[in-house]
Amino acid sequence: MSGGRSRGRRLRVSSPSRAGGSLLAHLVLAGLGLVFLLPLLWMVFASVDPDASLRASWPSGFTLDHFTAIMTPEIVYVPIWNSILTCGGAALITAVCSMLAAYPLSRYQLRFKKPFLYSVLFATGLPITAIMVPVYGMFVQANLLNSLTATTLFLAASTLPFGIWLTKNFIDGIPISLEEAAWVDGASAWQSMRYLVAPLLAPGLSVVAIFTLVTTWGNFFVPFILLTSPEKMPAAVRVFTFFGQYGSVRYGELAAYSLLYTVPVVVLYLVVSRALGGRFALGGALKG
């Protein structure tokens, strides 16, 4: 009895500290959420404010003139289409190549497996600005400057190390007993990867593709260096249209453009998250 009372007393004594820690965590998260919410509120308010400025304030009126001014092929349609081509292509290439590279790293005991993984991990933290000068020289010598295809391949290569590292962890979570059963039935390693691992890995590959798309979608530096024609510039670079000389900025049009710029990524994320919801559970594959 005394032991039960002492345990209850300890729980009651520790409850306020737990409540205080939970309250502090919620306050910190609320503060972080507010920090990220303020720029979004500025975009929404400034996009419909006839007197838009840098301050996030309630609109003095309501107008759609900012959207009307930017809805032109050279400002919105063509740059967003270029972004879809380059970033979507990079996401697809990264997802496929990550699976092909991560599968043997996860399933086989390779001689240089650990050094290779360390090299991949090091490459994930390498700043892209550190390699842009030799990359630019290589593009000039290979006559690949101002090429959307070459820029797409480089964007995919720059995100591939993290994609390989992430995909390997996803493949490690797939029980190898499923493939062993397929091998017993006469399937080859390629068939088991194509017809068994790939469908189970679809949610993980979607995560890799979305991460690549989001990362490359907001990449300004690479296309700004490797693309020279205005008609090939993606949306991340065309944002310069709203910055004039001597520090003048068209804030209303910039906010309207920013809203339209974020729509494709947000819609894709919502569609993929709803389509793949609940498919990360692999435990049911072992039953039967």
Side-chain angles (χ1 to χ4, degrees):
M1 293 296 291
S2 60
R5 286 195 298 269
S6 62
R7 285 195 297 268
R9 189 179 302 110
R10 284 197 297 268
L11 289 176
R12 286 193 296 270
V13 170
S14 61
S15 295
S17 62
R18 293 182 181 180
S22 178
L23 178 61
L24 179 61
H26 282 83
L27 290 177
V28 172
L29 292 176
L32 292 176
L34 184 62
V35 169
F36 284 98
L37 182 62
L38 285 178
L40 297 178
L41 290 178
W42 175 84
M43 285 195 302
V44 174
F45 292 159
S47 63
V48 295
D49 189 355
D51 301 320
S53 63
L54 188 58
R55 297 182 59 184
S57 58
W58 190 261
S60 59
F62 181 83
T63 181
L64 295 177
D65 293 341
H66 302 315
F67 290 95
T68 305
I70 66 172
M71 296 298 288
T72 60
E74 62 272 10
I75 296 179
V76 172
Y77 301 129
V78 174
I80 288 183
W81 176 246
N82 292 336
S83 294
I84 292 175
L85 289 178
T86 55
C87 302
L92 181 62
I93 294 172
T94 300
V96 174
C97 293
S98 295
M99 183 184 67
L100 296 177
Y103 181 80
L105 292 174
S106 175
R107 291 296 189 248
Y108 301 111
Q109 295 296 328
L110 304 177
R111 183 177 181 181
F112 299 103
K113 177 179 177 179
K114 186 173 292 186
F116 180 78
L117 288 176
Y118 285 143
S119 301
V120 170
L121 183 62
F122 171 77
T124 59
L126 188 66
I128 199 168
T129 54
I131 62 174
M132 281 310 300
V133 172
V135 167
Y136 178 81
M138 182 184 66
F139 269 61
V140 171
Q141 293 179 2
N143 198 23
L144 296 176
L145 205 62
N146 199 33
S147 171
L148 286 175
T149 303
T151 304
T152 301
L153 293 175
F154 177 72
L155 288 173
S158 63
T159 56
L160 187 59
F162 186 80
I164 293 175
W165 189 269
L166 195 61
T167 306
K168 179 186 177 299
N169 293 329
F170 285 130
I171 297 178
D172 290 342
I174 299 177
I176 196 173
S177 57
L178 299 176
E179 294 183 77
E180 292 174 346
W183 296 337
V184 171
D185 292 336
S188 62
W190 169 255
Q191 289 174 331
S192 65
M193 182 183 68
R194 180 181 178 184
Y195 297 108
L196 184 62
V197 175
L200 293 175
L201 194 60
L205 291 179
S206 300
V207 172
V208 174
I210 291 176
F211 174 82
T212 303
L213 181 65
V214 172
T215 303
T216 55
W217 189 267
N219 193 315
F220 168 84
F221 191 63
V222 171
F224 180 74
I225 296 296
L226 301 181
L227 297 175
T228 57
S229 299
E231 63 272 9
K232 292 185 178 181
M233 291 295 180
V237 181
R238 290 296 295 177
V239 73
F240 258 137
T241 306
F242 309 102
F243 293 86
Q245 294 181 347
Y246 309 109
S248 62
V249 182
R250 290 174 286 172
Y251 291 109
E253 297 178 10
L254 177 61
Y257 182 84
S258 301
L259 283 177
L260 296 178
Y261 176 61
T262 58
V263 166
V265 176
V266 174
V267 170
L268 177 64
Y269 175 79
L270 294 177
V271 170
V272 173
S273 62
R274 287 180 62 88
L276 298 177
R279 290 184 56 187
F280 284 96
L282 302 175
L286 294 175
K287 298 180 181 180

